[in-house]
Coordinates of all heavy atoms in Angstrom, one line a residue:
R1 N 0.8 -1.2 0.0 CA 0.0 0.0 0.0 C 0.9 1.3 0.0 O 0.4 2.3 -0.5 CB -1.0 0.0 1.2 CG -1.8 -1.2 1.4 CD -3.0 -1.3 0.5 NE -3.9 -0.2 0.4 CZ -4.9 -0.1 -0.4 NH1 -5.1 -1.1 -1.2 NH2 -5.6 1.0 -0.5
H2 N 2.1 1.2 0.5 CA 2.9 2.4 0.6 C 3.2 2.9 -0.8 O 3.4 4.1 -1.0 CB 4.1 2.2 1.4 CG 5.2 1.4 0.8 ND1 5.2 0.0 0.8 CD2 6.3 1.8 0.1 CE1 6.3 -0.4 0.1 NE2 7.0 0.6 -0.3
Q3 N 3.3 1.9 -1.8 CA 3.6 2.4 -3.2 C 2.5 3.3 -3.7 O 2.8 4.2 -4.4 CB 3.8 1.2 -4.1 CG 5.0 0.3 -3.8 CD 4.7 -0.8 -2.9 OE1 3.6 -0.9 -2.3 NE2 5.6 -1.8 -2.8
E4 N 1.3 2.9 -3.4 CA 0.1 3.8 -3.8 C 0.2 5.1 -3.2 O -0.1 6.2 -3.8 CB -1.2 3.1 -3.5 CG -1.4 1.8 -4.2 CD -2.6 1.0 -3.7 OE1 -3.1 1.3 -2.6 OE2 -3.0 0.0 -4.4
W5 N 0.6 5.2 -1.9 CA 0.7 6.4 -1.2 C 1.8 7.3 -1.8 O 1.6 8.5 -2.0 CB 1.0 6.2 0.3 CG 1.1 7.4 1.2 CD1 2.2 7.7 1.9 CD2 0.1 8.4 1.4 NE1 1.9 8.9 2.6 CE2 0.7 9.3 2.3 CE3 -1.2 8.6 1.0 CZ2 0.0 10.5 2.8 CZ3 -1.9 9.8 1.4 CH2 -1.3 10.6 2.3
L6 N 2.9 6.7 -2.1 CA 4.0 7.4 -2.8 C 3.6 7.9 -4.2 O 3.9 9.0 -4.5 CB 5.2 6.5 -2.9 CG 6.1 6.3 -1.7 CD1 7.1 5.2 -1.8 CD2 6.7 7.6 -1.2
K7 N 2.8 7.1 -4.9 CA 2.3 7.5 -6.2 C 1.5 8.8 -6.0 O 1.6 9.7 -6.8 CB 1.6 6.4 -6.9 CG 1.0 6.8 -8.2 CD 0.3 5.6 -8.8 CE -0.3 6.0 -10.2 NZ -1.1 4.8 -10.8
F8 N 0.6 8.8 -5.0 CA -0.3 9.9 -4.7 C 0.6 11.1 -4.4 O 0.3 12.2 -4.9 CB -1.2 9.5 -3.6 CG -2.1 10.7 -3.1 CD1 -3.1 11.2 -4.0 CD2 -2.0 11.2 -1.9 CE1 -3.9 12.2 -3.6 CE2 -2.8 12.2 -1.5 CZ -3.8 12.7 -2.3
L9 N 1.6 11.0 -3.5 CA 2.4 12.1 -3.1 C 3.2 12.7 -4.3 O 3.3 13.9 -4.5 CB 3.4 11.7 -2.1 CG 2.8 11.3 -0.7 CD1 3.9 10.7 0.2 CD2 2.1 12.5 0.0
R10 N 3.6 11.8 -5.2 CA 4.3 12.3 -6.4 C 3.4 13.0 -7.3 O 3.8 14.0 -7.9 CB 4.9 11.1 -7.2 CG 6.1 10.5 -6.5 CD 6.7 9.3 -7.3 NE 7.7 8.7 -6.5 CZ 7.6 7.4 -6.0 NH1 6.6 6.7 -6.3 NH2 8.6 6.9 -5.3
Q11 N 2.2 12.6 -7.4 CA 1.2 13.3 -8.2 C 0.9 14.7 -7.7 O 0.8 15.6 -8.4 CB -0.1 12.5 -8.3 CG -1.2 13.1 -9.1 CD -2.5 12.3 -9.2 OE1 -2.6 11.3 -8.5 NE2 -3.4 12.7 -10.0
I12 N 0.8 14.8 -6.4 CA 0.6 16.1 -5.7 C 1.8 17.0 -6.0 O 1.7 18.1 -6.4 CB 0.4 15.9 -4.2 CG1 -0.9 15.3 -3.9 CG2 0.5 17.3 -3.5 CD1 -1.1 14.9 -2.4
D13 N 3.0 16.4 -5.9 CA 4.3 17.1 -6.1 C 4.3 17.7 -7.5 O 4.8 18.8 -7.7 CB 5.5 16.2 -5.8 CG 6.8 16.9 -5.7 OD1 6.8 18.1 -5.2 OD2 7.8 16.4 -6.2
Q14 N 3.9 16.9 -8.5 CA 3.9 17.3 -9.9 C 2.8 18.3 -10.2 O 3.0 19.1 -11.2 CB 3.8 16.1 -10.8 CG 5.0 15.2 -10.7 CD 4.8 13.9 -11.5 OE1 3.8 13.7 -12.0 NE2 5.9 13.1 -11.5
T15 N 1.7 18.3 -9.5 CA 0.6 19.1 -9.8 C 0.6 20.5 -9.2 O 0.2 21.5 -9.8 CB -0.7 18.3 -9.4 OG1 -0.7 17.1 -10.0 CG2 -2.0 19.1 -9.8
I16 N 1.1 20.5 -7.9 CA 1.0 21.8 -7.2 C 2.3 22.6 -7.5 O 3.4 22.0 -7.5 CB 1.0 21.5 -5.7 CG1 -0.3 20.6 -5.3 CG2 0.9 22.8 -4.9 CD1 -1.6 21.3 -5.7
A17 N 2.2 23.9 -7.7 CA 3.3 24.8 -8.0 C 4.4 24.6 -7.0 O 4.2 24.4 -5.8 CB 2.8 26.2 -8.0
A18 N 5.7 24.6 -7.5 CA 6.8 24.3 -6.7 C 7.0 25.2 -5.5 O 7.6 24.8 -4.5 CB 8.1 24.3 -7.6
E19 N 6.6 26.4 -5.6 CA 6.8 27.4 -4.5 C 5.8 27.2 -3.4 O 5.9 27.8 -2.3 CB 6.7 28.8 -5.0 CG 5.4 29.3 -5.5 CD 5.1 29.0 -7.0 OE1 5.9 28.3 -7.6 OE2 4.0 29.3 -7.5
K20 N 4.8 26.4 -3.6 CA 3.8 26.2 -2.5 C 4.2 25.1 -1.5 O 4.8 24.1 -1.8 CB 2.5 25.7 -3.2 CG 1.9 26.6 -4.2 CD 1.0 27.6 -3.6 CE 0.3 28.4 -4.7 NZ -0.6 29.4 -4.2
Q21 N 3.9 25.4 -0.3 CA 4.1 24.4 0.8 C 2.8 23.5 0.8 O 1.7 24.0 0.6 CB 4.2 25.2 2.2 CG 5.5 26.0 2.3 CD 6.7 25.2 2.2 OE1 6.9 24.3 3.0 NE2 7.6 25.5 1.3
I22 N 3.0 22.3 1.1 CA 1.9 21.3 1.1 C 1.8 20.7 2.5 O 2.7 20.1 3.0 CB 2.2 20.2 0.1 CG1 2.3 20.9 -1.3 CG2 1.1 19.2 0.1 CD1 2.8 19.9 -2.4
H23 N 0.6 20.8 3.1 CA 0.3 20.3 4.4 C -0.7 19.1 4.2 O -1.7 19.3 3.6 CB -0.3 21.3 5.3 CG 0.7 22.3 5.7 ND1 1.4 22.2 6.9 CD2 1.2 23.5 5.1 CE1 2.3 23.3 7.0 NE2 2.1 24.0 5.9
I24 N -0.3 18.0 4.7 CA -1.2 16.8 4.5 C -1.6 16.3 5.9 O -0.7 16.1 6.8 CB -0.4 15.7 3.8 CG1 -0.1 16.1 2.4 CG2 -1.3 14.4 3.7 CD1 0.8 15.2 1.6
I25 N -2.9 16.1 6.1 CA -3.4 15.5 7.4 C -3.8 14.1 7.1 O -4.6 13.8 6.2 CB -4.6 16.3 7.9 CG1 -4.2 17.8 8.1 CG2 -5.1 15.7 9.2 CD1 -5.4 18.7 8.4
C26 N -3.2 13.2 7.9 CA -3.6 11.8 7.7 C -3.6 11.0 9.0 O -3.1 11.5 10.0 CB -2.7 11.1 6.6 SG -0.9 11.2 7.0
D27 N -4.1 9.8 9.0 CA -4.2 9.0 10.1 C -2.8 8.3 10.3 O -1.9 8.5 9.6 CB -5.3 8.0 10.1 CG -5.3 7.1 8.9 OD1 -4.2 6.9 8.3 OD2 -6.3 6.5 8.6
N28 N -2.8 7.5 11.4 CA -1.5 6.8 11.7 C -1.4 5.4 11.0 O -0.6 4.6 11.5 CB -1.4 6.7 13.2 CG -1.1 8.0 13.9 OD1 0.1 8.4 13.9 ND2 -2.1 8.7 14.3
Y29 N -2.0 5.2 10.0 CA -1.9 4.0 9.2 C -0.5 3.7 8.9 O 0.3 4.7 8.5 CB -2.8 4.1 7.9 CG -3.0 2.9 7.1 CD1 -3.3 1.7 7.7 CD2 -2.8 2.9 5.7 CE1 -3.5 0.5 6.9 CE2 -2.9 1.8 5.0 CZ -3.3 0.6 5.5 OH -3.4 -0.5 4.8
A30 N 0.0 2.5 9.0 CA 1.4 2.2 8.8 C 1.9 2.6 7.4 O 3.1 3.0 7.3 CB 1.6 0.7 9.0
T31 N 1.1 2.6 6.4 CA 1.4 3.0 5.1 C 2.0 4.4 5.1 O 3.0 4.8 4.4 CB 0.2 2.9 4.1 OG1 -0.2 1.6 4.0 CG2 0.5 3.5 2.8
H32 N 1.4 5.3 5.8 CA 1.8 6.7 5.9 C 3.2 6.9 6.5 O 3.8 8.0 6.4 CB 0.7 7.6 6.6 CG -0.6 7.5 6.0 ND1 -1.8 7.5 6.7 CD2 -1.0 7.4 4.7 CE1 -2.8 7.4 5.9 NE2 -2.3 7.3 4.6
K33 N 3.6 5.9 7.3 CA 4.9 6.0 8.0 C 5.9 5.0 7.5 O 6.9 4.8 8.2 CB 4.6 5.8 9.5 CG 3.8 6.9 10.1 CD 3.6 6.7 11.6 CE 2.8 7.8 12.2 NZ 2.7 7.7 13.7
H34 N 5.7 4.4 6.4 CA 6.6 3.4 5.9 C 8.0 4.0 5.6 O 8.1 5.2 5.3 CB 6.0 2.9 4.5 CG 6.7 1.7 4.0 ND1 7.9 1.8 3.3 CD2 6.5 0.4 4.1 CE1 8.3 0.6 2.9 NE2 7.5 -0.3 3.4
P35 N 9.1 3.3 5.9 CA 10.4 3.9 5.7 C 10.6 4.5 4.3 O 11.2 5.6 4.2 CB 11.3 2.7 5.9 CG 10.6 1.8 6.8 CD 9.1 1.9 6.4
A36 N 10.1 3.9 3.2 CA 10.2 4.5 1.9 C 9.5 5.8 1.8 O 10.0 6.8 1.2 CB 9.7 3.5 0.8
V37 N 8.4 5.9 2.5 CA 7.6 7.2 2.5 C 8.4 8.2 3.3 O 8.5 9.4 2.8 CB 6.2 7.0 3.1 CG1 5.5 8.3 3.3 CG2 5.4 6.0 2.2
E38 N 8.9 7.8 4.4 CA 9.7 8.8 5.2 C 10.9 9.3 4.5 O 11.2 10.5 4.6 CB 10.0 8.1 6.6 CG 8.8 7.9 7.5 CD 9.2 7.3 8.8 OE1 10.3 6.8 9.0 OE2 8.3 7.3 9.7
R39 N 11.6 8.4 3.7 CA 12.7 8.8 2.9 C 12.3 9.8 1.9 O 12.9 10.9 1.7 CB 13.4 7.6 2.3 CG 14.3 6.8 3.2 CD 15.2 5.8 2.4 NE 14.4 4.9 1.6 CZ 13.9 3.7 2.1 NH1 14.1 3.4 3.4 NH2 13.2 2.9 1.4
W40 N 11.2 9.5 1.2 CA 10.7 10.4 0.1 C 10.3 11.8 0.7 O 10.7 12.8 0.2 CB 9.5 9.8 -0.5 CG 9.0 10.6 -1.8 CD1 9.5 10.4 -3.0 CD2 8.1 11.7 -1.8 NE1 8.9 11.3 -3.9 CE2 8.1 12.1 -3.2 CE3 7.4 12.4 -0.9 CZ2 7.2 13.1 -3.6 CZ3 6.6 13.4 -1.3 CH2 6.5 13.8 -2.7
L41 N 9.6 11.8 1.9 CA 9.3 13.1 2.5 C 10.5 13.8 3.0 O 10.5 15.1 2.9 CB 8.3 12.8 3.7 CG 6.9 12.3 3.3 CD1 6.2 11.8 4.6 CD2 6.1 13.4 2.6
G42 N 11.5 13.1 3.4 CA 12.8 13.7 3.8 C 13.5 14.5 2.7 O 14.2 15.5 2.9
K43 N 13.2 14.1 1.5 CA 13.8 14.7 0.3 C 12.9 15.8 -0.3 O 13.3 16.5 -1.2 CB 14.1 13.7 -0.8 CG 15.1 12.7 -0.4 CD 15.3 11.6 -1.5 CE 16.3 10.6 -1.0 NZ 16.4 9.5 -2.0
H44 N 11.7 15.9 0.2 CA 10.7 16.8 -0.3 C 10.2 17.7 0.8 O 9.1 17.5 1.4 CB 9.5 16.1 -1.0 CG 9.9 15.3 -2.2 ND1 10.5 14.1 -2.1 CD2 9.9 15.7 -3.5 CE1 10.8 13.7 -3.3 NE2 10.5 14.6 -4.2
K45 N 11.0 18.7 1.2 CA 10.8 19.5 2.4 C 9.5 20.3 2.4 O 9.1 20.8 3.4 CB 12.0 20.4 2.6 CG 13.3 19.6 2.8 CD 13.2 18.7 4.0 CE 14.6 18.0 4.3 NZ 14.6 17.1 5.4
R46 N 8.9 20.5 1.2 CA 7.7 21.4 1.2 C 6.5 20.6 1.7 O 5.5 21.2 1.9 CB 7.5 22.0 -0.2 CG 7.1 21.0 -1.2 CD 7.0 21.7 -2.6 NE 6.4 20.8 -3.6 CZ 5.4 21.2 -4.4 NH1 4.9 22.4 -4.3 NH2 5.0 20.4 -5.4
F47 N 6.7 19.3 1.8 CA 5.6 18.5 2.4 C 5.6 18.4 3.9 O 6.7 18.1 4.5 CB 5.7 17.0 1.8 CG 5.1 16.9 0.4 CD1 5.9 17.3 -0.7 CD2 3.9 16.3 0.2 CE1 5.4 17.2 -2.0 CE2 3.4 16.2 -1.1 CZ 4.2 16.6 -2.2
H48 N 4.5 18.8 4.5 CA 4.4 18.8 5.9 C 3.3 17.8 6.3 O 2.1 18.1 6.0 CB 4.1 20.2 6.5 CG 5.1 21.2 6.0 ND1 6.4 21.4 6.5 CD2 5.1 22.0 4.9 CE1 7.0 22.3 5.9 NE2 6.2 22.7 4.9
V49 N 3.6 16.7 7.0 CA 2.6 15.7 7.3 C 2.2 15.9 8.7 O 3.0 16.0 9.6 CB 3.1 14.3 7.0 CG1 2.0 13.3 7.4 CG2 3.5 14.2 5.6
H50 N 0.9 16.0 9.0 CA 0.3 16.1 10.3 C -0.5 14.9 10.5 O -1.4 14.5 9.7 CB -0.5 17.4 10.4 CG 0.2 18.6 10.0 ND1 1.1 19.3 10.8 CD2 0.2 19.2 8.8 CE1 1.6 20.3 10.1 NE2 1.1 20.3 8.9
F51 N -0.3 14.2 11.6 CA -1.0 12.9 11.9 C -2.1 13.2 13.0 O -1.9 13.9 13.9 CB 0.0 11.9 12.4 CG 0.9 11.4 11.4 CD1 2.2 11.9 11.4 CD2 0.6 10.5 10.4 CE1 3.1 11.5 10.4 CE2 1.5 10.1 9.5 CZ 2.7 10.5 9.5
T52 N -3.2 12.6 12.7 CA -4.3 12.7 13.7 C -3.9 11.8 14.9 O -3.2 10.8 14.7 CB -5.7 12.2 13.1 OG1 -5.5 10.9 12.7 CG2 -6.1 13.1 12.0
P53 N -4.4 12.1 16.1 CA -4.1 11.3 17.3 C -4.6 9.9 17.0 O -5.7 9.7 16.4 CB -4.9 12.0 18.4 CG -5.1 13.4 17.9 CD -5.2 13.3 16.4
T54 N -3.9 8.9 17.6 CA -4.3 7.5 17.4 C -5.6 7.2 18.0 O -6.3 6.3 17.5 CB -3.2 6.5 18.0 OG1 -3.0 6.9 19.3 CG2 -1.9 6.6 17.2
S55 N -6.0 7.8 19.0 CA -7.3 7.5 19.7 C -8.4 8.4 19.2 O -9.5 8.6 19.9 CB -7.2 7.6 21.2 OG -6.7 9.0 21.5
A56 N -8.3 9.1 18.1 CA -9.3 10.0 17.6 C -9.9 9.7 16.3 O -9.8 10.5 15.3 CB -8.7 11.4 17.6
S57 N -10.4 8.5 16.1 CA -11.0 8.1 14.9 C -12.1 9.0 14.4 O -12.3 9.2 13.2 CB -11.5 6.7 14.9 OG -12.5 6.5 15.9
W58 N -12.8 9.6 15.4 CA -13.9 10.6 15.0 C -13.3 11.8 14.3 O -14.0 12.4 13.4 CB -14.6 11.1 16.3 CG -13.6 11.8 17.3 CD1 -12.9 11.2 18.3 CD2 -13.2 13.1 17.3 NE1 -12.1 12.1 18.9 CE2 -12.3 13.3 18.3 CE3 -13.6 14.3 16.5 CZ2 -11.7 14.6 18.6 CZ3 -13.0 15.5 16.8 CH2 -12.0 15.6 17.8
L59 N -12.0 12.1 14.5 CA -11.4 13.3 13.9 C -11.2 13.0 12.4 O -11.3 13.9 11.6 CB -10.1 13.6 14.6 CG -9.4 14.9 14.1 CD1 -10.3 16.1 14.3 CD2 -8.1 15.0 15.0
N60 N -10.9 11.7 12.0 CA -10.7 11.4 10.6 C -11.9 11.8 9.8 O -11.8 12.4 8.7 CB -10.5 9.9 10.5 CG -9.2 9.4 11.0 OD1 -8.3 10.2 11.1 ND2 -9.1 8.2 11.2
M61 N -13.2 11.6 10.3 CA -14.3 12.0 9.6 C -14.4 13.5 9.3 O -14.7 14.0 8.3 CB -15.6 11.5 10.3 CG -16.9 11.9 9.5 SD -16.9 11.3 7.8 CE -17.2 9.6 8.1
R62 N -14.0 14.3 10.3 CA -14.0 15.7 10.2 C -13.0 16.2 9.2 O -13.2 17.1 8.4 CB -13.8 16.4 11.6 CG -13.9 17.9 11.5 CD -15.2 18.4 11.1 NE -15.2 19.8 10.9 CZ -15.8 20.4 9.9 NH1 -16.5 19.8 9.0 NH2 -15.6 21.7 9.8
V63 N -11.8 15.5 9.2 CA -10.8 15.9 8.2 C -11.3 15.6 6.8 O -11.1 16.5 5.9 CB -9.5 15.0 8.5 CG1 -8.5 15.1 7.3 CG2 -8.8 15.5 9.8
Y64 N -12.0 14.5 6.6 CA -12.5 14.2 5.3 C -13.6 15.2 4.9 O -13.6 15.6 3.7 CB -13.1 12.8 5.2 CG -12.1 11.7 5.5 CD1 -12.4 10.7 6.3 CD2 -10.8 11.7 4.9 CE1 -11.4 9.7 6.6 CE2 -9.9 10.8 5.1 CZ -10.2 9.7 5.9 OH -9.3 8.7 6.2
Q65 N -14.4 15.7 5.8 CA -15.4 16.7 5.6 C -14.8 18.0 5.1 O -15.2 18.6 4.2 CB -16.3 16.9 6.8 CG -17.2 15.8 7.1 CD -17.9 15.9 8.4 OE1 -17.5 16.7 9.3 NE2 -19.0 15.2 8.6
V66 N -13.7 18.4 5.9 CA -13.0 19.7 5.5 C -12.4 19.6 4.2 O -12.5 20.5 3.3 CB -12.0 20.0 6.6 CG1 -11.1 21.2 6.2 CG2 -12.7 20.4 7.9
H67 N -11.8 18.4 3.9 CA -11.1 18.2 2.6 C -12.2 18.3 1.5 O -11.9 18.9 0.5 CB -10.4 16.9 2.6 CG -9.9 16.5 1.2 ND1 -8.9 17.2 0.6 CD2 -10.4 15.6 0.3 CE1 -8.7 16.7 -0.6 NE2 -9.6 15.7 -0.8
S68 N -13.3 17.7 1.7 CA -14.3 17.7 0.7 C -14.8 19.1 0.4 O -15.0 19.5 -0.7 CB -15.5 16.8 1.1 OG -16.5 16.9 0.2
E69 N -15.0 19.9 1.5 CA -15.5 21.3 1.3 C -14.4 22.1 0.6 O -14.7 22.9 -0.3 CB -15.7 21.9 2.7 CG -16.9 21.3 3.4 CD -17.0 21.6 4.9 OE1 -16.2 22.4 5.4 OE2 -17.8 21.0 5.6
Q70 N -13.1 21.9 0.9 CA -12.1 22.7 0.3 C -11.9 22.3 -1.2 O -11.7 23.1 -2.1 CB -10.8 22.5 1.0 CG -10.8 23.3 2.4 CD -9.5 23.1 3.1 OE1 -8.7 22.2 2.8 NE2 -9.3 23.9 4.1
S71 N -12.0 21.0 -1.4 CA -11.8 20.5 -2.8 C -12.9 21.0 -3.7 O -12.6 21.4 -4.8 CB -11.9 18.9 -2.8 OG -10.8 18.4 -2.1
S72 N -14.1 21.1 -3.3 CA -15.2 21.6 -4.1 C -15.1 23.1 -4.3 O -15.6 23.6 -5.3 CB -16.5 21.1 -3.6 OG -16.8 21.7 -2.3
S73 N -14.5 23.8 -3.4 CA -14.6 25.3 -3.5 C -13.2 25.9 -4.0 O -13.2 27.0 -4.5 CB -14.9 25.9 -2.1 OG -13.9 25.6 -1.2
Q74 N -12.1 25.2 -3.8 CA -10.8 25.8 -4.1 C -10.0 25.2 -5.3 O -9.2 25.8 -5.9 CB -9.9 25.8 -2.9 CG -10.5 26.6 -1.7 CD -9.6 26.5 -0.5 OE1 -8.6 25.9 -0.5 NE2 -10.0 27.2 0.5
L75 N -10.2 23.9 -5.5 CA -9.5 23.2 -6.5 C -10.1 23.4 -7.9 O -11.4 23.4 -8.0 CB -9.3 21.7 -6.2 CG -8.5 21.4 -4.9 CD1 -8.5 19.9 -4.6 CD2 -7.1 22.0 -5.0
P76 N -9.3 23.5 -8.9 CA -9.9 23.6 -10.3 C -10.7 22.3 -10.7 O -10.3 21.2 -10.2 CB -8.7 23.9 -11.2 CG -7.6 23.4 -10.4 CD -7.9 23.5 -9.0
A77 N -11.7 22.4 -11.5 CA -12.4 21.3 -12.0 C -11.4 20.4 -12.7 O -10.5 20.8 -13.3 CB -13.5 21.7 -12.9
E78 N -11.7 19.1 -12.7 CA -10.9 18.1 -13.4 C -10.7 18.5 -14.9 O -9.6 18.3 -15.4 CB -11.5 16.7 -13.3 CG -10.7 15.6 -13.9 CD -9.5 15.2 -13.1 OE1 -9.5 15.5 -11.9 OE2 -8.5 14.7 -13.7
S79 N -11.7 18.9 -15.5 CA -11.5 19.2 -17.0 C -10.6 20.4 -17.2 O -10.0 20.5 -18.3 CB -12.9 19.5 -17.6 OG -13.5 20.7 -16.9
E80 N -10.5 21.3 -16.2 CA -9.6 22.4 -16.4 C -8.1 22.0 -16.3 O -7.2 22.7 -16.9 CB -9.8 23.5 -15.3 CG -11.2 24.1 -15.4 CD -11.4 25.1 -14.2 OE1 -10.5 25.4 -13.5 OE2 -12.6 25.4 -14.0
N81 N -7.8 20.9 -15.7 CA -6.4 20.5 -15.5 C -6.0 19.7 -16.8 O -4.8 19.5 -17.0 CB -6.3 19.5 -14.3 CG -6.4 20.3 -13.0 OD1 -6.0 21.5 -13.0 ND2 -6.8 19.6 -12.0
Q82 N -6.9 19.2 -17.6 CA -6.5 18.4 -18.7 C -6.5 19.3 -20.0 O -7.6 19.8 -20.4 CB -7.5 17.3 -18.9 CG -7.4 16.3 -17.7 CD -8.5 15.2 -17.8 OE1 -9.3 15.2 -18.7 NE2 -8.5 14.4 -16.8
S83 N -5.4 19.6 -20.5 CA -5.3 20.4 -21.8 C -4.2 19.9 -22.7 O -3.4 19.1 -22.3 CB -5.1 21.9 -21.5 OG -4.3 22.1 -20.4

């Protein structure tokens, strides 16, 4: 699963302007902390990963809600990215 996470991080890295800082909020799933992921993040200093507390599964739902709200209001439509 960590390969899929790295693929996702690389996609973000290629899509977001290089001068932008990237903050990612995720749970403590082992995939997010895999040694290969940690090495990649160590080389990509603009990525800032914030982990939810291990005992706060309720917080995950709120993170997803916020992400959904921001995605629909701030990110360009899929068709705008394809040219």
Side-chain angles (χ1 to χ4, degrees):
R1 307 283 312 172
H2 76 278
Q3 293 95 344
E4 294 168 349
W5 181 240
L6 283 170
K7 181 179 177 182
F8 176 67
L9 294 174
R10 288 182 188 112
Q11 182 179 5
I12 293 171
D13 192 38
Q14 294 172 357
T15 304
I16 304 299
E19 69 274 3
K20 301 272 186 180
Q21 295 294 303
I22 300 170
H23 291 264
I24 299 175
I25 302 170
C26 55
D27 60 18
N28 284 280
Y29 187 50
T31 294
H32 301 143
K33 296 181 173 184
H34 189 278
V37 172
E38 290 181 348
R39 281 191 302 275
W40 190 90
L41 290 169
K43 296 175 184 175
H44 296 82
K45 300 297 186 185
R46 71 185 187 130
F47 281 77
H48 307 278
V49 181
H50 308 279
F51 294 99
T52 59
T54 55
S55 60
S57 59
W58 60 270
L59 188 55
N60 288 342
M61 181 55 74
R62 184 61 187 138
V63 168
Y64 298 135
Q65 289 171 339
V66 169
H67 171 71
S68 176
E69 293 165 6
Q70 289 179 344
S71 294
S72 62
S73 66
Q74 296 179 359
L75 297 177
E78 183 72 23
S79 61
E80 294 176 16
N81 288 334
Q82 298 175 357
S83 39

